[in-house]
Amino acid sequence: MLRQYTELEIENIAWELLRRKPKGRACLPIDVDLLLELQGISLVVVAGLIPRFSIECCAYQLHPNGEVIVAIEKFIADSRSEPSYRQILAKVLGHLTLHKEVLDQTSSIEDYLALRSSPAWPHMEHDAHRFAVSLMAPEELVAQAAAP
């Protein structure tokens, strides 16, 4: 069964992920590529995700070694603004953080597509989006940046 998170729980999970970052404190803008790397997640740029599958980015686990792959569309990686690119990756990191038990069952892009058509997907998407917002603009860092 899919875990139900409150908005505050999602914010706290995102902040805890930032606090675990080595080499001092997190700072704005958040380096999502580095966060993926620190989690042991491989980022690959793939041409053709949009025309073949109608997705910008996806995550799946290679079995049996368990390596987690995040695949992002080459067009997105090459042409999107840096904030937009980071937001897409932050949302996928949200899925990997909040819904690991579900994503552990995906071993291909096709499995990921099947998951997207499940009844649980809208709730998972909402949680991942909220995580991305909390990760990219954590309240404490935004308040520090806005302070005189």
Side-chain angles (χ1 to χ4, degrees), residues 131-146:
F131 178 92
V133 169
S134 297
L135 185 73
M136 300 305 295
E139 184 178 345
E140 291 180 36
L141 292 181
V142 171
Q144 289 171 8

Side-chain angles (χ1 to χ4, degrees), residues 7-8 10-11 14 125-135:
E7 301 281 320
L8 184 58
I10 292 172
E11 288 179 22
E125 251 320 76
H126 176 269
D127 285 353
H129 179 73
R130 182 66 189 135
F131 178 92
V133 169
S134 297
L135 185 73

